[in-house]
Amino acid sequence: MRYVKAENVAEVVQLLQDEVGVARVLAGGTDVLVQLKMGMVEPDLIVDIKHLEGIKDIVSEDGGYRIGAAVSGAELGEHAGVVALWPGVVEGVELIGSTQVQGRATMAGNLCNGSPAADSVPGLVAADAVVRIAGPDGVRDCAVLDIPVSPGKISLTKGEFITSIFLPKRPERASDAYLRFIPRTEMDIAVAAAGVSLELDADGTCTAARVSLGAVAPTVLLVEEAANAIIGTKLDEASLEILAAACSAVCNPIDDKRGTIEFRTEIAGVLAKRAALIAYKRAGGQ
Amino acid sequence: MKNIHVSTTVNGDPTEFICAPDESLLDVLRDRLRLTGSKEGCGSGDCGACSVMVDGRLVCSCLVLGAEAEGAKIETIEGMAKGDDLHPLQQHFIDGAALQCGICTPGILVAAKALLEKNPNPTDTEVRYWLAGNLCRCTGYDKIIKAVQAAAAEMRGA
Ligand SMILES: Cc1cc2nc3c(=O)[nH]c(=O)nc-3n(C[C@H](O)[C@H](O)[C@H](O)COP(=O)(O)OP(=O)(O)OC[C@H]3O[C@@H](n4cnc5c(N)ncnc54)[C@H](O)[C@@H]3O)c2cc1C
Ligand code: FES
Ligand code: FES
């Protein structure tokens, strides 16, 4: 195995493209190193991207924020601007692992690891976040929703890697929330999870929404029927029931020791409902 | 596998070592630098016994490559006492019997120190969440939380 501390984007792309064996980008390493040690992957090349210029920066852009691919969870959580604009995205990221894991783990790594239960991904999908990808053909942007393909598999092609994630601007009365269910309060993998982002008008009526689910299908789900259930309402009980039912209807979860299919399906709707109410309150709804 | 030469700073001392590209910082600290205070409980990021600071951030050294230490500032449990003077956290762990076998203790001390630097007056709940990635098989967490709080109180007074 070779370890290379890359100095610029072009070098990363070249290294990834030229490697005939198994190559891995290294961000926080909290998945890569575990997989390396367990022998789940035997990389021939590790490319450390943490020293590229700007890769650890969070910058304002068009009223939103561009977050470098190597920004850790701890760093993101300390950025008052991002926390204020996208609290639901931040709370998803902050649920990843322990304080120690937060010191290293990145959103891009969480997304690229490809776990259906990745905690930052539903929030990013609800936020309609866009990743910037550098590759052999130059730079392209792609919605977070289109990155996961199946468990452990993502849509990036050989030579490509994520350089940043963009969280867009939003109107005054808008917010988001993320909730997951785990059998204990810390350090576990989501059994089901939901992210909700919404916008309100002056009298508290929801004018736009995105609802996403994690851990209940091979990839993160965007549930348009659930969003439609609350658009035009003030999140009354009846609309929330329709939202929950729409969420449960699209679930296609696994059955394992941490949650049965029935449980995951039902709880996904409950979590979406609760997350919607939290986002509504945060957005200034009564 | 080609070995890598790394220049770093450990507990304030400029340090150089040679390691394999897939060697963890924990293995480097223990086996090459003979700093055996950091422990390996799991090797997979779950137990926190290997906790160290890298550039001011609390991390599991079992999930950092030795090669990543290039140019970084590493702080380990060995740097916590000043000569024979124990850090208040160390003293309160002894006074409050907040350890038994002691395997988890170096990691907990490093993690607790990082917490108190960020938040000198945490609630018990904040201490418990901060230390959720530090597992102890023997002591029971109450004594650990109490020792951290006693040290925090002393440090605020000082
Ligand atoms: C103790 C422990 C607890 C955990 N708890 C949780 C949890 O609660 N929830 C959760 O979702 N996850 C959890 N994880 C998993 C892990 O911490 C997260 O998935 C984390 O976000 C990974 O980020 P990283 O920067 O460490 O990724 P890395 O390990 O560096 O990389 C992960 C994958 O993404 C690829 N990659 C990284 N960055 C890029 C990039 N910029 N472009 C292209 N590919 C890239 C890597 O090659 C690798 O395949 C836990 C892990 C540990 C060890
Ligand atoms: S040895 Fe590193 S977390 Fe357990
Ligand atoms: S004292 Fe033995 S593991 Fe904590």
Side-chain angles (χ1 to χ4, degrees), chain A residues 1 3 5 26 28-30 33-34 36-38 48 50 74-75 78 98-101 103-104 185-187, chain B residues 1 4 21-22 40 43-44 46 51 57-60 62-65 67-68 70 111 118 129-130 132-134:
Chain A
M1 186 186 109
Y3 165 89
K5 178 173 162 178
L26 177 69
T30 59
L33 265 91
V34 173
L36 191 81
K37 292 194 160 197
M38 306 221 160
D48 190 346
K50 287 191 292 295
E75 288 161 345
E78 286 167 8
S98 57
T99 317
Q100 286 85 342
V101 170
R104 300 259 295 167
T185 53
E186 265 288 276
M187 301 286 286
Chain B
M1 246 188 255
I4 299 174
D22 62 353
E40 179 166 55
S44 54
D46 294 291
S51 297
R57 289 282 170 199
L58 181 68
V59 303
C60 294
C62 71
L63 295 189
V64 179
L65 292 174
E68 291 182 77
E70 174 67 39
K118 200 176 148 91
Y129 270 99
W130 184 272
N134 291 90

Side-chain angles (χ1 to χ4, degrees), chain B residues 59-131:
Chain B
V59 303
C60 294
S61 59
C62 71
L63 295 189
V64 179
L65 292 174
E68 291 182 77
E70 174 67 39
K73 279 200 179 64
I74 316 287
E75 292 160 78
T76 71
I77 185 65
E78 284 85 356
M80 201 155 166
K82 294 288 163 257
D84 288 340
D85 293 333
L86 294 183
H87 186 280
L89 277 162
Q90 293 172 306
Q91 192 60 53
H92 282 284
F93 268 63
I94 296 171
D95 295 347
L99 70 160
Q100 288 187 16
C101 79
I103 292 285
C104 68
T105 314
I108 292 186
L109 289 169
V110 170
K113 181 166 175 265
L115 168 65
L116 298 185
E117 275 159 15
K118 200 176 148 91
N119 179 359
N121 194 9
T123 63
D124 282 2
T125 304
E126 285 169 338
V127 178
R128 282 178 191 276
Y129 270 99
W130 184 272
L131 295 179

Side-chain angles (χ1 to χ4, degrees), chain A residues 3 48 60 81 89 112 115 158 169 179 183 192 215 237 264 276 285:
Chain A
Y3 165 89
D48 190 346
S60 305
V89 171
C112 292
S115 163
K158 191 167 169 74
K169 76 163 177 213
L179 283 178
E237 193 50 40
R264 289 173 191 261

Side-chain angles (χ1 to χ4, degrees), chain A residues 8-17 25 47 49 52-53 55 66 69 108 112 130-142 147 154-165:
Chain A
N8 55 57
V9 170
E11 186 190 356
V12 178
V13 172
Q14 196 70 51
L15 282 162
L16 293 175
Q17 209 184 1
V25 167
V47 185
I49 59 166
L52 305 180
E53 204 186 320
I55 199 100
R66 182 163 295 285
C112 292
V130 173
V131 296
R132 181 152 292 171
I133 299 166
D137 300 326
V139 173
R140 68 182 175 102
D141 285 348
C142 176
I147 298 294
I154 57 169
S155 62
L156 299 198
T157 57
K158 191 167 169 74
E160 288 190 323
F161 78 108
I162 293 176
T163 54
S164 65
I165 299 182

